[in-house]
């Protein structure tokens, strides 16, 4: 990184004279053609709505970086998240030219989902078939619109909707007219007549109409909607919601936006824990809602979508990071008890480059804990292994923070975590680095490390390397490595040579 030319462009991107950085790391573009190349830092620009540009092209960011093919770099202009234009063409957010769009009359409406020209109307970059551009108006920026004949949800006609009274319900995906309630999630749903006296909006997904509760447009099996109330909701991607009526406690999570009864939960004493909304309790039990990250592994969940932590002690219960928790008797991962580890002295040392593999300690041992999911036979396998070789000092064992958690130390030694046995023929994964100085040892990245006297690659000492001047310079080297390794005497190859 060249500090003299380093410039922050926004909260994600920065650049210097040599490189472009995304969230602190050197970035490259991966186009639809599958080719990879580094951005040109001299001409790199961040454009509105997640578009990028350099001397070689215009790009849309997302799950991958996609090139807007055929765009004129001199005249390209971002109109909204879904539309761009240059001196000859209109492009949609998928990197495609919009066929027959009229350049001179094209305009973006509202926040940018809808647009029109003198001939046509567009939604999210695609044509709304049959819409009258001359009379077209947006009702809400995200979903709803109308012309002189129809109401539209996205590109779809809302059949039977009343043109004069149709309106969106602000902050939700619901809409209404004088007769009916509607919901749009890519398809429009007519939810029937509105009970004006018993109509209530709980949040953006949850709504009451008469004695029916709807969650994301689906009718819920709640017998007494009049008594239903929300206990607590999260405002993050997990979108966890707790509610109750006069008989039951309910939970919903993430993409499964359906309210499920928490079996045998005591509604009068039920409460959500303050540290983490995924944990709750009543006078009888502690409950845990797994993250949506694991939704594909259905066998992990209890049938009601929440895990009852049987036997957990409410008075001594502690919520830890990385989905761990413990009480005076046991340690738990994602709501399930880990047999064979003591809660006394329990610590999470590090996750081993995985959400499902960890080094843990208690007051006796160092452990490797792994959880393996099989999507083929829909099973979950858990394994707790005591690390016996090498024997570490449990009370002082810790990860040495660097570019990745592969280096550890205790009061006696420095260790390298060799998960693939790349560096040694030894059977164990945790291996002592012979002669390393504990106090000055420092990971450098790319498997390199050093102390005040020596330089190492994995377990191997690099003979003759000058430790005080040894460094890794991260930059575009032109060969795809993205870094230069050197000391005051020489430049090194990236494979420890």
């Amino acid at each position: 990184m060249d500090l003299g030319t380093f410039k922050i462009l926004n909260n994600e991107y920065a650049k210097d004279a040599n490189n472009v950085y995304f969230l602190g790391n050197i970035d490259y573009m991966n186009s639809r053609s599958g080719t990879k190349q580094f951005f040109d830092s001299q001409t790199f620009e961040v454009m509105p709505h997640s578009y990028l540009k350099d001397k070689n092209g215009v790009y849309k960011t997302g799950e991958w970086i996609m090139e807007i093919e055929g765009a004129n770099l001199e005249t390209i202009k971002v109109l909204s998240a879904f539309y761009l234009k240059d001196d000859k063409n209109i492009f949609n957010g998928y990197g495609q030219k919009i066929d027959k769009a009229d350049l001179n009359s094209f305009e973006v409406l509202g926040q940018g989902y809808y647009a029109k020209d003198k001939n046509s109307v567009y939604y999210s970059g695609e044509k709304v078939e049959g819409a009258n551009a001359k009379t077209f108006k947006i009702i809400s920026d995200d979903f709803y619109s109308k012309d002189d004949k129809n109401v539209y949800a996205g590109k779809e006609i809302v059949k039977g909707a009343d043109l004069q009274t149709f309106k969106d319900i602000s902050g939700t995906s619901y809409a209404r007219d004088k007769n009916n309630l509607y919901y749009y999630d890519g398809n429009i749903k007519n939810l029937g007549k509105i009970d004006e006296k018993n109509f209530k909006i709980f949040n953006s997904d949850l709504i009451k109409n008469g004695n029916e509760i709807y969650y994301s447009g689906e009718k819920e099996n709640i017998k007494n909607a009049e008594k239903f109330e929300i206990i607590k909701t999260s405002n993050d991607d997990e979108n966890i919601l707790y509610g109750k009526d006069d008989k039951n406690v309910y939970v919903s999570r993430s993409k499964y936006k359906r309210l499920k009864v928490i079996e045998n939960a005591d509604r009068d004493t039920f409460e959500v824990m303050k540290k983490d909304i995924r944990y709750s309790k009543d006078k009888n039990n502690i409950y845990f809602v797994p993250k949506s990250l694991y939704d594909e592994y259905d066998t992990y969940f209890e049938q009601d979508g929440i895990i009852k932590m049987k036997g957990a002690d409410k008075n001594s219960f502690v919520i830890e990071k990385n989905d761990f928790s413990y009480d005076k008797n046991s340690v738990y991962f994602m709501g399930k008890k880990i047999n064979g580890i003591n809660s006394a002295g329990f610590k999470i040392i590090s996750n081993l480059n995985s959400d499902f593999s960890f080094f843990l300690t208690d007051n006796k041992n160092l452990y490797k804990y792994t959880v393996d999911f099989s999507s083929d036979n829909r099973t979950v396998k858990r394994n707790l292994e005591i690390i016996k070789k090498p024997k570490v000092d449990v009370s002082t064992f810790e990860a040495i923070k660097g570019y990745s958690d592969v280096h550890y130390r205790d009061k006696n030694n420095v260790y390298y975590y060799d998960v693939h046995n790349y560096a040694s023929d030894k059977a164990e994964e945790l291996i002592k680095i012979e002669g390393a100085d504990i106090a000055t040892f420092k990971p450098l990245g790319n498997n390199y490390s050093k102390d005040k006297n020596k330089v190492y690659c994995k377990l191997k000492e690099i003979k003759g390397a000058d430790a005080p001047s040894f460094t890794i310079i991260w930059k575009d080297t032109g060969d795809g490595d993205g870094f230069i390794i050197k000391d005051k005497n020489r430049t090194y190859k990236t494979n420890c040579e």
Side-chain angles (χ1 to χ4, degrees), residues 206-366:
L206 196 65
I207 205 165
K208 179 169 77 74
N209 186 28
N211 201 37
E212 303 289 354
I213 299 287
Y214 292 90
Y215 200 158
S216 296
E218 297 290 337
K219 185 166 67 174
E220 296 293 336
N221 186 25
I222 296 176
K223 293 182 179 180
N224 193 347
E226 188 62 34
K227 297 292 184 179
F228 182 83
E229 61 181 285
I230 289 179
I231 298 172
K232 192 169 185 179
T233 61
S234 65
N235 296 317
D236 55 21
D237 292 340
E238 294 302 314
N239 200 18
I240 295 172
L241 180 147
Y242 297 94
K244 65 181 179 180
D245 59 15
D246 57 336
K247 293 183 178 180
N248 297 307
V249 179
Y250 303 86
V251 66
S252 177
R253 58 186 171 81
S254 194
K255 67 180 182 182
Y256 294 141
K257 293 182 177 178
R258 301 304 303 271
L259 293 168
K260 294 178 180 287
V261 174
I262 303 176
E263 297 294 341
N264 301 317
D266 182 74
R267 66 176 302 281
D268 295 324
T269 60
F270 185 89
E271 62 179 299
V272 179
M273 295 189 182
K274 292 181 180 180
K275 186 173 181 179
D276 190 333
I277 195 171
R278 292 176 299 142
Y279 291 88
S280 56
K281 65 181 179 180
D282 60 17
K283 67 178 183 179
N284 300 313
N285 296 294
I286 292 176
Y287 308 92
F288 176 74
V289 179
K291 292 180 180 179
S292 60
L293 173 64
Y294 318 113
D295 281 350
E296 63 188 283
Y297 305 108
D298 292 340
T299 55
Y300 193 82
F301 297 111
E302 302 291 330
Q303 190 172 0
D304 59 6
I306 193 167
I307 295 171
K308 186 183 294 184
M309 299 180 64
K310 298 175 183 178
D313 181 72
K314 296 185 291 296
N315 295 324
S316 61
F317 191 79
V318 176
I319 299 170
E320 266 286 3
K321 62 182 180 179
N322 298 108
D323 295 325
F324 286 93
S325 56
Y326 66 93
D327 60 21
K328 65 180 181 179
N329 302 310
S330 303
V331 177
Y332 308 87
F333 178 67
M334 292 176 61
K336 299 288 187 178
K337 181 180 176 180
I338 306 174
N339 292 318
I341 186 171
N342 296 319
S343 58
F346 171 72
K347 288 192 299 183
I348 305 164
I349 301 300
S350 70
N351 59 316
L352 303 173
N353 299 316
S354 166
D355 288 325
F356 308 111
S357 184
F358 302 87
F359 272 150
L360 310 173
T361 62
D362 58 16
N363 56 4
K364 292 183 179 180
N365 297 302
L366 171 67

Side-chain angles (χ1 to χ4, degrees), residues 112-177:
Y113 283 86
Y114 283 104
K116 70 176 185 177
D117 59 23
K118 66 180 183 179
N119 302 311
S120 302
V121 175
Y122 308 90
Y123 178 77
S124 294
E126 298 181 4
K127 188 175 180 180
V128 181
E129 297 294 340
N132 186 341
K134 293 181 180 179
T135 61
F136 184 83
K137 297 179 180 179
I138 57 173
I139 297 172
S140 70
D141 286 325
D142 292 347
F143 303 126
Y144 300 108
S145 59
K146 68 179 181 178
D147 59 15
D148 57 329
K149 295 182 179 180
N150 297 302
V151 173
Y152 302 90
K155 300 189 299 176
E156 184 180 353
I157 293 174
V158 183
K159 295 178 181 179
D162 181 72
L163 277 170
Q164 301 304 316
T165 60
F166 189 94
K167 62 180 180 179
D168 71 312
I169 298 176
S170 180
T172 78
S173 297
Y174 293 90
R176 59 165 297 171
D177 59 18

Side-chain angles (χ1 to χ4, degrees), residues 18-226:
N18 302 307
N19 300 301
V20 173
Y21 303 89
F22 176 71
L23 298 179
N25 299 308
I26 293 177
D27 202 17
Y28 59 82
M29 64 84 61
N30 187 358
S31 71
R32 286 178 296 180
S33 64
T35 60
K36 294 182 179 181
Q37 65 187 63
F38 287 95
F39 286 111
D40 178 71
S41 65
Q42 299 295 326
T43 58
F44 181 82
E45 297 178 32
V46 176
M47 304 174 75
H49 300 290
S50 301
Y51 290 93
L52 309 170
K53 185 174 79 167
D54 66 7
K55 70 177 183 179
N56 299 310
V58 179
Y59 316 96
K60 174 65 183 261
T61 61
E63 292 184 10
W64 66 90
I65 297 176
M66 178 178 63
E67 186 174 0
I68 309 297
E69 295 182 353
N72 186 329
L73 299 180
E74 300 299 323
T75 61
I76 192 70
K77 182 179 180 181
V78 177
L79 303 178
S80 76
F82 301 98
Y83 306 98
L84 306 90
K85 67 181 290 187
D86 62 13
D87 56 327
K88 294 182 179 180
N89 296 294
I90 303 292
F91 301 86
N92 64 24
Y94 307 105
Q96 304 161 334
K97 295 177 184 177
I98 299 179
D99 187 40
K100 297 181 181 179
D102 183 73
L103 195 66
N104 294 324
S105 62
F106 190 89
E107 61 175 316
V108 171
L109 305 174
Q111 298 299 313
Y113 283 86
Y114 283 104
K116 70 176 185 177
D117 59 23
K118 66 180 183 179
N119 302 311
S120 302
V121 175
Y122 308 90
Y123 178 77
S124 294
E126 298 181 4
K127 188 175 180 180
V128 181
E129 297 294 340
N132 186 341
K134 293 181 180 179
T135 61
F136 184 83
K137 297 179 180 179
I138 57 173
I139 297 172
S140 70
D141 286 325
D142 292 347
F143 303 126
Y144 300 108
S145 59
K146 68 179 181 178
D147 59 15
D148 57 329
K149 295 182 179 180
N150 297 302
V151 173
Y152 302 90
K155 300 189 299 176
E156 184 180 353
I157 293 174
V158 183
K159 295 178 181 179
D162 181 72
L163 277 170
Q164 301 304 316
T165 60
F166 189 94
K167 62 180 180 179
D168 71 312
I169 298 176
S170 180
T172 78
S173 297
Y174 293 90
R176 59 165 297 171
D177 59 18
K178 65 180 182 180
N179 300 312
N180 297 308
L181 177 67
Y182 305 89
Y183 182 81
Y184 181 70
D185 61 356
N187 295 297
I188 189 68
K189 298 176 183 178
N190 187 326
L191 304 179
K193 299 292 183 181
I194 294 179
D195 185 339
E196 300 289 357
K197 293 182 179 180
N198 294 293
F199 185 77
K200 182 177 181 180
I201 301 166
F202 292 105
N203 62 24
S204 60
D205 295 307
L206 196 65
I207 205 165
K208 179 169 77 74
N209 186 28
N211 201 37
E212 303 289 354
I213 299 287
Y214 292 90
Y215 200 158
S216 296
E218 297 290 337
K219 185 166 67 174
E220 296 293 336
N221 186 25
I222 296 176
K223 293 182 179 180
N224 193 347
E226 188 62 34

